[in-house]
Amino acid sequence: MKISQQDLDICCGPEAFVSQTDIQPVTQPIHQTSLFSYSKFENLCAALANEYSTPVYTRGRNPTMTSVEKKLAALERGEACKLFASGMGAISAAITGLVNQGDHIIFVNQVYSPTIQLAEQLARFGVTFTYLTSGDLEQLQAAIRPETRLIWFESPATMTFKRIDITRVVAIAHEHGILTGIDNTWATPLLQKPITMGVDIVAHSLTKYIGGHSDVIAGAIITRHALLKQIFYRTFLLNGAAIGPMDAWLIERGLRTLSVRLQQQEASALAIGEFLQDHPKVARIYHPAWQEDSPPAETNPLAGYNGLISFTLKNPAYDNVTRFLNALSHFRLGVSWGGFESLAISLQRPENAEQLAAMNLPQGLIRLSVGLEAAQTLIADLEQAFQHV
Ligand SMILES: *Cc1c(COP(=O)(O)O)cnc(C)c1O
C-alpha cells in the first residue's frame, strides 16, 4: 500500500477548531447544539442568507461536521464536502439534486443495489435509467442519449470488486457534456482519488472503512462548490438527512486510524486470497489483485486494497453455501463491511439463480469482510468450514 505523506498529515493533522487559550484539547469538542445564536440581528440575517457556509441550524451546518468535511474534501482533492446521515442520504441527495424531469441516468459496473432501487423510484418523476452491469465501454457509448445527464458508477464494483477504466468513462461522458459520479466507498480517498481522474462527484458511505468501528451510519458527497451548492439547497437542507454532531465526531475518530486499519486488512485479505486460490473446493476468487483485465495502472492508480474478498464454491447451491456459512465460528454473518470485525454473507437464495445471472453476478458468491483479527485465526476458521461442504 502506498499512502502519501500528504494524506497521513490530513488524517492526523490539527483540527479545524481553534482554541482561544494556550491549552488545547487534542480532539475537537462535539458541538452538540441544534442552532447557533447571534448577538446582532443583522449578522443572523446575513448568516441565513448563506447557510451553505455559515452555521445557523444543525440541519444545515455545524462546526463538528465542518471539520470532517474539510478533511474529506482535502483527502479527495475536491473543493468541498457535505456530510449526510447515511451513504444513501448522500447518494439520493446528489442524484435527485442534479437530475430533472425527462433526464436519463446510466449506471455502470455492479452498483450498490439500493442505488438502483432509488433509480427505479425516480421513474415516478419522469427520470429514466439504463443499468450496464458489465462495465463494457462500447455498451456505455451505445447507451448514451441526448437526454443523458449523469453516468454513475462504482470501481471496484460492489460484491465482485471488478475495476473499470475510470479515465475512459470520464472521457466518454465529458465528450457528451454528461456529469460523472462515483461511489468511492470501497477505496476510501486513501486508495483512489477519482476527482484527480476527472470525475465530477464522489459519494461515500462513511459507515464502512472510514467509520471503521461498526458504530455509526454516515455518508458524504465531495464535488465542486457549484454542484455542491445545488445539492445543498435543492435536497440536503430539504430532505433533512443531516448527520448529528456526535456521529460526525465518530467519523473524525475513524479517519485517524483509517490508514493502519486498511494496511492490516489488506495484508490479511491477500493472505486469505492465497489460501483460497489453492483450495480444492473454491471455484474462483473475486478481488482486484486477481482481476485479469485490470485498467491501466498509469491512468487508474489504486494505492492498495482493503479487506474485502469474495469467492465462489465449486458447488454453488444455496444449501451448500448455507452449510459453509453456518459452520464459520470466527466470521460473523451480517450485512455491511469495513469494520474491525470479520463478516461473511452471500447473495445466494433458494430461487434466485436467474436474478443473479441477470445482474451479471456469479452463483454461490460468498463475500468476506476481513477484520482486524489475526489472519491465521481467520484462515483456520475458513479451513474448518470447508470440511462441511
Ligand atoms: C453501504 C453502502 C452504501 C450505503 O451506505 P449507508 O451508509 O448504508 O446508507 C452505498 N454504497 C456502497 C458501495 C455501500 O457499500
Side-chain angles (χ1 to χ4, degrees):
M1 188 179 295
K2 283 207 290 297
I3 295 168
S4 68
Q5 183 183 353
Q6 186 182 1
D7 284 357
L8 292 174
D9 290 350
I10 295 168
C11 282
C12 298
E15 312 299 341
F17 172 79
V18 181
S19 163
Q20 297 303 309
T21 75
D22 62 351
I23 303 167
Q24 305 246 352
V26 295
T27 65
Q28 72 159 326
I30 303 173
H31 296 266
Q32 193 70 38
T33 181
S34 59
L35 78 150
F36 300 85
S37 66
Y38 285 75
S39 58
K40 298 262 185 304
F41 181 58
E42 58 274 30
N43 293 348
L44 175 57
C45 293
L48 273 167
N50 185 16
E51 262 194 275
Y52 178 72
S53 23
T54 321
V56 174
Y57 188 52
T58 292
R59 178 151 52 74
R61 186 164 282 291
N62 173 299
T64 312
M65 287 177 200
T66 305
S67 180
V68 186
E69 287 165 355
K70 284 187 175 168
K71 288 186 174 185
L72 287 175
L75 286 170
E76 286 285 8
R77 312 290 187 259
E79 275 180 24
C81 168
K82 196 75 213 108
L83 290 192
F84 290 79
S86 68
M88 279 313 294
I91 293 167
S92 60
I95 293 178
T96 59
L98 296 173
V99 299
N100 295 312
Q101 188 179 16
D103 284 348
H104 173 244
I105 307 169
I106 304 175
F107 294 95
V108 188
N109 213 4
Q110 267 121 18
V111 170
Y112 185 63
S113 58
T115 303
I116 302 299
Q117 290 162 26
L118 169 73
E120 287 164 358
Q121 292 300 318
L122 295 181
R124 295 188 287 114
F125 304 93
V127 174
T128 56
F129 74 95
T130 305
Y131 184 17
L132 305 172
T133 55
S134 79
D136 180 277
L137 298 179
E138 277 174 27
Q139 280 184 30
L140 172 61
Q141 290 269 17
I144 292 173
R145 304 182 194 162
E147 66 272 23
T148 305
R149 165 85 174 137
L150 176 66
I151 296 176
W152 187 270
F153 58 95
E154 288 178 34
S155 178
T158 281
M159 299 306 290
T160 60
F161 319 119
K162 180 179 154 59
R163 295 177 68 203
I164 59 172
D165 193 332
I166 296 176
T167 309
R168 287 192 56 206
V169 170
V170 168
I172 293 167
H174 290 176
E175 207 177 292
H176 294 82
I178 299 168
L179 286 173
T180 48
I182 185 172
D183 181 334
N184 202 32
T185 302
W186 183 97
T188 83
L190 295 191
L191 303 187
Q192 173 169 272
K193 298 186 191 310
I195 289 174
T196 66
M197 298 153 88
V199 175
D200 299 292
I201 302 132
V202 171
H204 281 286
S205 168
L206 305 172
T207 311
K208 312 294 163 57
Y209 281 108
I210 296 181
H213 294 70
S214 301
D215 54 11
V216 59
I217 302 264
I221 295 293
I222 298 101
T223 184
R224 307 188 275 283
H225 280 298
L227 292 176
L228 199 65
K229 265 190 191 162
Q230 238 181 57
I231 295 166
F232 183 88
Y233 286 111
R234 285 181 174 180
T235 46
F236 171 72
L237 269 183
L238 305 176
N239 289 350
I243 192 169
M246 177 73 196
D247 283 353
W249 188 92
L250 286 171
I251 293 302
E252 191 156 20
R253 188 264 316 250
L255 212 44
R256 294 187 183 103
T257 56
L258 177 61
S259 68
V260 285
R261 285 184 284 109
L262 279 175
Q263 287 179 65
Q264 184 180 323
Q265 286 166 318
E266 169 191 67
S268 296
L270 287 170
I272 287 173
E274 298 278 318
F275 161 74
L276 292 172
Q277 103 184 339
D278 299 325
H279 202 283
K281 290 182 178 165
V282 172
R284 199 185 143 181
I285 293 174
Y286 296 83
H287 181 288
W290 275 266
Q291 185 185 335
E292 277 157 18
D293 61 343
S294 291
E298 318 80 67
T299 49
N300 290 267
L302 198 62
Y305 308 113
N306 60 22
L308 287 168
I309 184 165
S310 294
F311 64 99
T312 44
L313 293 172
K314 282 196 178 143
N315 171 1
Y318 173 76
D319 289 349
N320 204 44
V321 167
T322 303
R323 268 195 299 278
F324 180 83
L325 292 176
N326 287 345
L328 291 168
S329 64
H330 219 91
F331 282 88
R332 301 176 224 199
L333 307 184
V335 298
S336 196
W337 43 271
F340 63 91
E341 77 289 13
S342 290
L343 292 167
I345 198 167
S346 175
L347 294 179
Q348 197 70 38
R349 301 289 179 273
E351 309 286 345
N352 71 344
E354 276 178 29
Q355 211 181 324
L356 290 176
M359 292 194 296
N360 202 21
L361 286 167
Q363 303 294 319
L365 190 76
I366 292 170
R367 183 187 73 195
L368 303 178
S369 173
V370 178
L372 294 167
E373 307 91 334
Q376 286 318 312
T377 307
L378 299 173
I379 290 171
D381 193 23
L382 294 167
E383 179 58 72
Q384 62 80 25
F386 278 124
Q387 288 163 18
H388 293 80
V389 301

